[in-house]
Amino acid sequence: MSGAHDNGNPPRKRKLIEVALPLEAISKASKADKDRKVGTIKNIHKWFAPMPAPAWRALLFAATIDDPGDAARRAELLDIIEGLVPDKGTAPSEEALKRARAALAEQGSELPTVLDPFCGGGSTLVEAQRLGFPTVASDLNPVPALVTRVETQLVPSVLGKPAVTGPGDGFEGIADDPMAGFLADVEHYAGLVEQQVRDQVGHLYEPVAGGEVVAWLWARTVPCANPACAIPLPLYSSPWLSKQKGREAWLRPVPTGRAIRFEIGEGVAPAIPNATKKDGRGGKFTCPACGTDVDEKYIRKSGLEGRMGLKMLAVALDDGTAGRRFVSEPADSLTAAVGVPADAPDLDFPAQALGFRIQAYGLKNHQDLYTPRQLHMLGAFADAVSEVHSWVLRDGGDELQATAISSVLAICVSKLAMANSSQTRWKLDSKTGTTKIQPGFGRQAIPMLWDFAEVNPFSGAGGSWVGQINAVVSGLKALPRSSRPGLVQQVDARRAGAIVPEGSALVATDPPYFAQIPYADLSDYFYVWLRRAAAGIHSDLFGTMATPKTDELIANPYRQGGQEKARQYFIDGFVDVFSSLKTASRSDLPMVVIYAHRQEENKDGEMSSSAWDALLEAMITAGIGVVGTWPIHATNSTRQRGQASNALASYIVMICRPRDAAAVSVDRRGFISALREELPGALRELQQSSIPAVDLAQAAIGPGMAVFSRYAKVTEPDGSAMRVRKALACINDELARVLSEQEGDFDADTRWCVRWFEQYQWEQGPFGEAELLANALNTSLQGMEDAGVVKARAGKAAMLRPEELSTSYDPAMNHHISVWEVTVHLSRVLEGKGTGSGVDAAGVLLARTRPRIDDDAIKELAYLLYNVCERKGWSESGRRFNNLVSSWPDLQTAARAAERQGAVPTQDSLAFDTAAEGDEEDLLF
């Protein structure tokens, strides 16, 4: 990326982010941050699809610091960034922060205000404050606005203050930790809140003989479809309560009169009674009393008619030992007789919404997500927290302390709701067989759950009030200790640029993902409880009955009248957003915009993405150009939402600036010519960064749009302006062409294997066709058989699948070697099980190939093969090659370790020399 003129001004200095980033270090830290369960700001409150904090830390620094133009100094700055992103995803050391702040100070200009108009979970602003930037944040949605206000405005305002209720003068601990007094107050008032709630609703939580209740396990019921039976049919998906060795427990349904009761079976039995849910997708169940089947259509009808109920399956107890005990529902239990409180939340779900399916089963109102007892309990906690502000003032605290403490406890009520509704699962760990509570929102949706766990809020276990306090405190401890308070407002992003002085901000944001997440509709789940607990202290956030929906900037076809209208609404809204942000942005700084969305194949077989083309069209219409992109690999590609779903392993960082006022127009041919000149080098850089193969097409959008957006207009042959969607199609075509051309760099055997794979994958094809192709490529089918990658029998030829390859393969000792065989053997070892498999073993194999095969060739082949698999719809093979690329940094680390340990032969020690290898090939052919 070269220096440019900015709207007619003198040439600007490039920032480091426009030249270089230590992507491997940033990605490693970001993946570790995603995997961390405690001690991150994610523990403070749930938000949807948050950007990893280490990535923001690195990006904000690099977007502000000038590129020195000197390789040695640039290396020093990149080393500073690596210090900011420890590989375990933790906060950087104080020494690393001092180096970064000193480098920023050397710039000689005042630090800009970091502005994020879609503040979400607050990671952008928290990391900006950690580096010393002033911050301003906004969000139309009150839930993220409150969370970010707590993190960046309220907590910094009370740092260093003694505890209101602490021993002596309350100064204990603050000399070592400026947050100590505040955290002590949070825990003190949390205890007072719990005691008040116990006094009010504790009698609803009956003790059970044998231990403290951890959870009550429930199933929804519908009347059996057999009129002669008509018992309440419990809908549950697994008979297993625990598979922990020595503590196995399972459900045994026993028909009794006109009902089903459940006994608890223990240990390993020859036959475990089936759950009522039948195998397969969808809601199909069998009555345990009469054997009648019911389907999802019947269940929905029953729910809509008000005939859906609840049945207790079992009670989970903590008996003081290392596991759980389970008992049947007590005979005298009054739990099911608790009524819905009169002041329960009365907010209907939208008739239709992204990610919602529960309305079809008769669950129409937020109170339908909870048992009556949970509604009593959550209301009592919210009401008690609403009094905390006055308690703190009564005890001598100041207004800031009272607001901060009560705000944190309001957040704890909101988190308590996430773990105390019918969205809470009783989850079996597949490895250990143990069980735990899994709160709602494992996905960005409110799905229909047949069975669920009701947590004991007074138990101290996960999901309880004490559990929420501990989790939030661990998140608060991850906040910086020396930050100045920021400003957080509830503002429509279309007007967010006006909340800072013109030309003063570093704009850094992760905007909503088009039509993937219904942020506002989901946020109402939290809003109803936050409003009850915190409206008195945050009247600017909680003045409405529900979160704002009309102006939310997502493409919601249900709200905007169809898909095309929703798309145009999104574009028009973001034109306003980027126009406003352009005014706020400091002229010497780029905007940093993060996006992650997968392109999909449309009905014409082309790759397209309404999300990408809508966002990019809005940016370009607003006069914003993309001057560079970086891919940050932040999640494991083998996660639950795999490659076949619309989910990415990488975030795409777009570096944006106002388009040059002197930009010229170009025709389609000129645009394609520029793409062909610039895209190959950019793609090679992406491949060098080990971006997952699944994300390469998305990452290529960046350098491609950098070309497209530099022009005032690209004209089609008919004189019309090229649309973004067509430009993306051109970029995808060039990507396919570049990958195909890389095939020419491979050896002849590998080229044969690629061609055959494209045609037959691992299946058989005609021997004659295989031999003709081999002759055309000047190679030998017999030689590839001898190498162990092809089998030819009875007039047929096929390539061996990775799992069929020889486990004794040693590339250092083979006379005949190709990029293909090394690549598939690496996949075999990486994906294998047991001794001689995994990353370390694959690293040894990679190290032993290095004297003869270039690493880059292996990786390029994996990218090419993934591209083939994606076009062909071969998901399992595609997953293999994507996993190979995604694991590349770890494989290289393991290979270097193998080389240090002497596991690799030198060129001189090989069993043959290169001349002999050539002679041998001549004999074979």
Short mmCIF file of all heavy atoms in Angstrom, two decimals, residues 713-742:
data_model
loop_
_atom_site.label_atom_id
_atom_site.label_comp_id
_atom_site.label_asym_id
_atom_site.label_seq_id
_atom_site.Cartn_x
_atom_site.Cartn_y
_atom_site.Cartn_z
N LYS A 713 -15.31 5.44 -10.53
CA LYS A 713 -16.33 4.58 -11.13
C LYS A 713 -15.66 3.56 -12.03
O LYS A 713 -14.66 3.85 -12.66
CB LYS A 713 -17.33 5.42 -11.95
CG LYS A 713 -18.49 4.61 -12.51
CD LYS A 713 -19.58 5.50 -13.10
CE LYS A 713 -19.18 6.06 -14.44
NZ LYS A 713 -20.33 6.73 -15.14
N VAL A 714 -16.21 2.36 -12.03
CA VAL A 714 -15.81 1.33 -13.00
C VAL A 714 -16.99 1.16 -13.94
O VAL A 714 -18.10 0.84 -13.50
CB VAL A 714 -15.46 0.00 -12.31
CG1 VAL A 714 -15.14 -1.07 -13.35
CG2 VAL A 714 -14.29 0.18 -11.35
N THR A 715 -16.76 1.37 -15.24
CA THR A 715 -17.87 1.33 -16.18
C THR A 715 -17.94 -0.02 -16.89
O THR A 715 -16.92 -0.59 -17.29
CB THR A 715 -17.74 2.45 -17.24
OG1 THR A 715 -16.47 2.33 -17.90
CG2 THR A 715 -17.85 3.81 -16.59
N GLU A 716 -19.16 -0.51 -17.05
CA GLU A 716 -19.42 -1.73 -17.79
C GLU A 716 -19.41 -1.41 -19.30
O GLU A 716 -19.46 -0.23 -19.69
CB GLU A 716 -20.79 -2.31 -17.40
CG GLU A 716 -20.88 -2.74 -15.94
CD GLU A 716 -20.29 -4.11 -15.70
OE1 GLU A 716 -19.47 -4.57 -16.53
OE2 GLU A 716 -20.64 -4.72 -14.67
N PRO A 717 -19.34 -2.44 -20.16
CA PRO A 717 -19.33 -2.17 -21.60
C PRO A 717 -20.53 -1.35 -22.08
O PRO A 717 -20.43 -0.62 -23.07
CB PRO A 717 -19.35 -3.59 -22.20
CG PRO A 717 -18.65 -4.42 -21.17
CD PRO A 717 -19.09 -3.86 -19.85
N ASP A 718 -21.67 -1.43 -21.40
CA ASP A 718 -22.84 -0.66 -21.82
C ASP A 718 -22.84 0.76 -21.26
O ASP A 718 -23.80 1.51 -21.43
CB ASP A 718 -24.14 -1.37 -21.44
CG ASP A 718 -24.30 -1.52 -19.93
OD1 ASP A 718 -23.42 -1.04 -19.17
OD2 ASP A 718 -25.30 -2.12 -19.50
N GLY A 719 -21.76 1.12 -20.55
CA GLY A 719 -21.66 2.47 -20.01
C GLY A 719 -22.17 2.62 -18.59
O GLY A 719 -21.97 3.68 -17.96
N SER A 720 -22.85 1.61 -18.05
CA SER A 720 -23.37 1.70 -16.69
C SER A 720 -22.24 1.48 -15.69
O SER A 720 -21.18 0.93 -16.02
CB SER A 720 -24.47 0.65 -16.47
OG SER A 720 -23.92 -0.66 -16.60
N ALA A 721 -22.48 1.91 -14.45
CA ALA A 721 -21.49 1.75 -13.40
C ALA A 721 -21.53 0.31 -12.88
O ALA A 721 -22.60 -0.25 -12.65
CB ALA A 721 -21.76 2.72 -12.27
N MET A 722 -20.36 -0.29 -12.73
CA MET A 722 -20.29 -1.63 -12.17
C MET A 722 -20.75 -1.61 -10.72
O MET A 722 -20.31 -0.77 -9.92
CB MET A 722 -18.87 -2.19 -12.26
CG MET A 722 -18.73 -3.60 -11.68
SD MET A 722 -17.03 -4.25 -11.77
CE MET A 722 -16.91 -4.62 -13.52
N ARG A 723 -21.64 -2.54 -10.34
CA ARG A 723 -22.09 -2.65 -8.96
C ARG A 723 -21.10 -3.47 -8.15
O ARG A 723 -20.32 -4.26 -8.69
CB ARG A 723 -23.47 -3.32 -8.91
CG ARG A 723 -24.56 -2.59 -9.66
CD ARG A 723 -24.87 -1.24 -9.02
NE ARG A 723 -25.35 -1.38 -7.66
CZ ARG A 723 -26.64 -1.55 -7.33
NH1 ARG A 723 -27.56 -1.60 -8.29
NH2 ARG A 723 -27.01 -1.66 -6.06
N VAL A 724 -21.16 -3.30 -6.85
CA VAL A 724 -20.25 -4.03 -5.96
C VAL A 724 -20.42 -5.54 -6.14
O VAL A 724 -19.45 -6.28 -6.14
CB VAL A 724 -20.49 -3.61 -4.49
CG1 VAL A 724 -19.77 -4.56 -3.55
CG2 VAL A 724 -20.03 -2.18 -4.27
N ARG A 725 -21.64 -5.97 -6.30
CA ARG A 725 -21.89 -7.41 -6.43
C ARG A 725 -21.15 -7.98 -7.64
O ARG A 725 -20.58 -9.06 -7.58
CB ARG A 725 -23.39 -7.67 -6.54
CG ARG A 725 -23.76 -9.14 -6.67
CD ARG A 725 -25.26 -9.33 -6.53
NE ARG A 725 -25.73 -9.02 -5.19
CZ ARG A 725 -27.00 -9.15 -4.80
NH1 ARG A 725 -27.91 -9.58 -5.65
NH2 ARG A 725 -27.35 -8.85 -3.56
N LYS A 726 -21.13 -7.22 -8.75
CA LYS A 726 -20.42 -7.68 -9.94
C LYS A 726 -18.91 -7.63 -9.71
O LYS A 726 -18.17 -8.51 -10.18
CB LYS A 726 -20.80 -6.82 -11.14
CG LYS A 726 -20.32 -7.38 -12.46
CD LYS A 726 -20.95 -8.75 -12.73
CE LYS A 726 -20.49 -9.32 -14.06
NZ LYS A 726 -21.04 -10.68 -14.30
N ALA A 727 -18.45 -6.59 -9.00
CA ALA A 727 -17.02 -6.51 -8.70
C ALA A 727 -16.57 -7.71 -7.87
O ALA A 727 -15.49 -8.27 -8.08
CB ALA A 727 -16.72 -5.21 -7.95
N LEU A 728 -17.41 -8.14 -6.92
CA LEU A 728 -17.08 -9.31 -6.11
C LEU A 728 -17.00 -10.56 -6.97
O LEU A 728 -16.16 -11.43 -6.75
CB LEU A 728 -18.11 -9.49 -4.99
CG LEU A 728 -18.08 -8.45 -3.87
CD1 LEU A 728 -19.24 -8.67 -2.90
CD2 LEU A 728 -16.76 -8.50 -3.11
N ALA A 729 -17.89 -10.66 -7.95
CA ALA A 729 -17.84 -11.81 -8.87
C ALA A 729 -16.53 -11.81 -9.65
O ALA A 729 -15.91 -12.86 -9.85
CB ALA A 729 -19.04 -11.78 -9.82
N CYS A 730 -16.08 -10.62 -10.09
CA CYS A 730 -14.80 -10.53 -10.80
C CYS A 730 -13.64 -10.95 -9.90
O CYS A 730 -12.71 -11.64 -10.34
CB CYS A 730 -14.58 -9.10 -11.30
SG CYS A 730 -15.73 -8.57 -12.58
N ILE A 731 -13.70 -10.53 -8.63
CA ILE A 731 -12.64 -10.89 -7.68
C ILE A 731 -12.61 -12.40 -7.48
O ILE A 731 -11.54 -13.02 -7.45
CB ILE A 731 -12.86 -10.15 -6.35
CG1 ILE A 731 -12.67 -8.64 -6.55
CG2 ILE A 731 -11.91 -10.66 -5.28
CD1 ILE A 731 -13.18 -7.80 -5.39
N ASN A 732 -13.79 -13.04 -7.34
CA ASN A 732 -13.83 -14.49 -7.18
C ASN A 732 -13.29 -15.21 -8.41
O ASN A 732 -12.59 -16.23 -8.29
CB ASN A 732 -15.27 -14.94 -6.91
CG ASN A 732 -15.71 -14.68 -5.48
OD1 ASN A 732 -14.94 -14.88 -4.55
ND2 ASN A 732 -16.93 -14.22 -5.31
N ASP A 733 -13.60 -14.69 -9.61
CA ASP A 733 -13.07 -15.30 -10.83
C ASP A 733 -11.54 -15.22 -10.86
O ASP A 733 -10.86 -16.18 -11.23
CB ASP A 733 -13.63 -14.58 -12.06
CG ASP A 733 -15.11 -14.87 -12.29
OD1 ASP A 733 -15.61 -15.84 -11.69
OD2 ASP A 733 -15.75 -14.11 -13.04
N GLU A 734 -11.00 -14.08 -10.45
CA GLU A 734 -9.55 -13.93 -10.45
C GLU A 734 -8.90 -14.82 -9.40
O GLU A 734 -7.81 -15.35 -9.60
CB GLU A 734 -9.17 -12.46 -10.22
CG GLU A 734 -9.42 -11.57 -11.41
CD GLU A 734 -8.74 -12.11 -12.66
OE1 GLU A 734 -7.49 -12.29 -12.65
OE2 GLU A 734 -9.44 -12.38 -13.66
N LEU A 735 -9.58 -14.98 -8.25
CA LEU A 735 -9.07 -15.89 -7.22
C LEU A 735 -8.94 -17.30 -7.77
O LEU A 735 -7.90 -17.96 -7.60
CB LEU A 735 -9.99 -15.87 -6.00
CG LEU A 735 -9.75 -16.95 -4.94
CD1 LEU A 735 -8.37 -16.77 -4.29
CD2 LEU A 735 -10.84 -16.93 -3.87
N ALA A 736 -9.99 -17.78 -8.44
CA ALA A 736 -9.96 -19.14 -9.02
C ALA A 736 -8.84 -19.25 -10.05
O ALA A 736 -8.14 -20.27 -10.13
CB ALA A 736 -11.31 -19.47 -9.65
N ARG A 737 -8.67 -18.19 -10.84
CA ARG A 737 -7.62 -18.23 -11.87
C ARG A 737 -6.23 -18.29 -11.24
O ARG A 737 -5.37 -19.07 -11.68
CB ARG A 737 -7.73 -16.98 -12.76
CG ARG A 737 -6.80 -16.98 -13.97
CD ARG A 737 -6.90 -15.68 -14.75
NE ARG A 737 -6.42 -14.56 -13.96
CZ ARG A 737 -5.13 -14.24 -13.82
NH1 ARG A 737 -4.20 -14.97 -14.40
NH2 ARG A 737 -4.78 -13.21 -13.10
N VAL A 738 -5.99 -17.50 -10.19
CA VAL A 738 -4.68 -17.49 -9.54
C VAL A 738 -4.38 -18.85 -8.92
O VAL A 738 -3.27 -19.38 -9.04
CB VAL A 738 -4.61 -16.38 -8.47
CG1 VAL A 738 -3.33 -16.49 -7.65
CG2 VAL A 738 -4.68 -15.00 -9.13
N LEU A 739 -5.38 -19.44 -8.25
CA LEU A 739 -5.16 -20.75 -7.63
C LEU A 739 -4.85 -21.80 -8.70
O LEU A 739 -4.01 -22.68 -8.50
CB LEU A 739 -6.38 -21.15 -6.80
CG LEU A 739 -6.62 -20.35 -5.52
CD1 LEU A 739 -7.93 -20.78 -4.86
CD2 LEU A 739 -5.47 -20.53 -4.54
N SER A 740 -5.55 -21.73 -9.82
CA SER A 740 -5.30 -22.69 -10.90
C SER A 740 -3.90 -22.51 -11.47
O SER A 740 -3.21 -23.50 -11.79
CB SER A 740 -6.34 -22.52 -12.01
OG SER A 740 -7.62 -22.86 -11.54
N GLU A 741 -3.46 -21.27 -11.59
CA GLU A 741 -2.11 -21.02 -12.13
C GLU A 741 -1.03 -21.52 -11.19
O GLU A 741 0.05 -21.91 -11.63
CB GLU A 741 -1.93 -19.52 -12.40
CG GLU A 741 -2.69 -19.04 -13.62
CD GLU A 741 -2.45 -17.57 -13.92
OE1 GLU A 741 -1.80 -16.90 -13.09
OE2 GLU A 741 -2.92 -17.10 -14.97
N GLN A 742 -1.31 -21.53 -9.89
CA GLN A 742 -0.33 -22.05 -8.94
C GLN A 742 -0.07 -23.53 -9.17
O GLN A 742 0.99 -24.05 -8.83
CB GLN A 742 -0.81 -21.81 -7.50
CG GLN A 742 -0.75 -20.37 -7.06
CD GLN A 742 -1.25 -20.17 -5.65
OE1 GLN A 742 -1.80 -21.08 -5.03
NE2 GLN A 742 -1.05 -18.97 -5.11
#
